[in-house]
Amino acid sequence: MSRRGNLYKHRGIREKVSGHKKIGLEYDIHEYASRLEARMAKLLIAGGIKFRPHVKFQCWGRGPECKPFTYEVDFVFNEPQKFVGISQIVNGIEVKGVLSEHDLLRIDGLKYDHDVRVYIAVEPLIEMWEREGMKKKSAQSGSAIGGKE
């Protein structure tokens, strides 16, 4: 079996997360496609960051094929956000266990077609946010904004 085949051998374990009403969503419980996505949702909810889960966009591919595709973004924010570890302001987060070139091309298509800037968060970044918080610490209070204190 190829190395790539080994990376995708196991499917994500779905997990339900509660607390979505706190950020203004109609339904309190939402099911995520993996534990890693669920961890990201818990971080955003704990930080009071308003988002919509699993938002679909119609995009056009880049390169020789240029086929249309539907891209479902894991988390789209109500307002653009700036997080520790990400240099730019983003409109959403896509969670990936394994990053591929295909993922980068899809993100590029989303930015080009809809002017939506999505960052791909992998597990080490999510682990850092769980330890240190997602927002920079306030200089006066020393507490994390949108994260653990």
Side-chain angles (χ1 to χ4, degrees):
M1 184 183 284
S2 74
R3 184 174 183 173
R4 183 175 174 100
N6 287 336
L7 294 175
Y8 297 103
K9 184 176 176 183
H10 302 288
R11 307 241 345 125
I13 298 171
R14 298 180 85 71
E15 185 174 328
K16 292 182 180 180
V17 175
S18 63
H20 291 80
K21 283 191 175 186
K22 292 180 204 172
I23 58 165
L25 295 179
E26 183 179 354
Y27 300 102
D28 193 53
I29 297 174
H30 187 81
E31 185 173 63
Y32 291 93
S34 70
R35 288 181 178 160
L36 197 56
E37 269 187 36
R39 286 168 56 193
M40 186 73 233
K42 290 173 189 175
L43 276 169
L44 294 169
I45 292 167
I49 298 165
K50 294 183 178 187
F51 67 90
R52 290 169 289 140
H54 301 128
V55 178
K56 292 182 181 181
F57 293 91
Q58 289 295 101
C59 300
W60 284 91
R62 302 287 165 262
E65 295 184 13
C66 288
K67 295 180 186 176
F69 64 92
T70 301
Y71 189 13
E72 187 173 308
V73 178
D74 295 331
F75 305 95
V76 175
F77 306 124
N78 293 12
E79 299 288 329
Q81 298 291 321
K82 176 71 177 102
F83 298 119
V84 171
I86 302 177
S87 59
Q88 72 267 23
I89 293 172
V90 295
N91 304 103
I93 296 273
E94 178 71 16
V95 174
K96 291 290 179 191
V98 178
L99 184 60
S100 71
E101 184 178 350
H102 177 72
D103 297 322
L104 298 174
L105 291 172
R106 292 168 64 85
I107 292 291
D108 185 52
L110 186 63
K111 180 181 172 187
Y112 183 80
D113 291 339
H114 298 280
D115 198 30
V116 173
R117 287 164 178 75
V118 172
Y119 191 83
I120 300 175
V122 292
E123 190 166 19
L125 183 60
I126 293 171
E127 287 173 349
M128 182 191 77
W129 287 337
E130 288 171 331
R131 283 189 319 270
E132 302 172 21
M134 296 183 73
K135 300 276 187 158
K136 288 188 178 186
K137 293 187 178 189
S138 167
Q140 291 179 332
S141 69
S143 65
I145 303 168
K148 294 185 178 182
E149 293 188 31

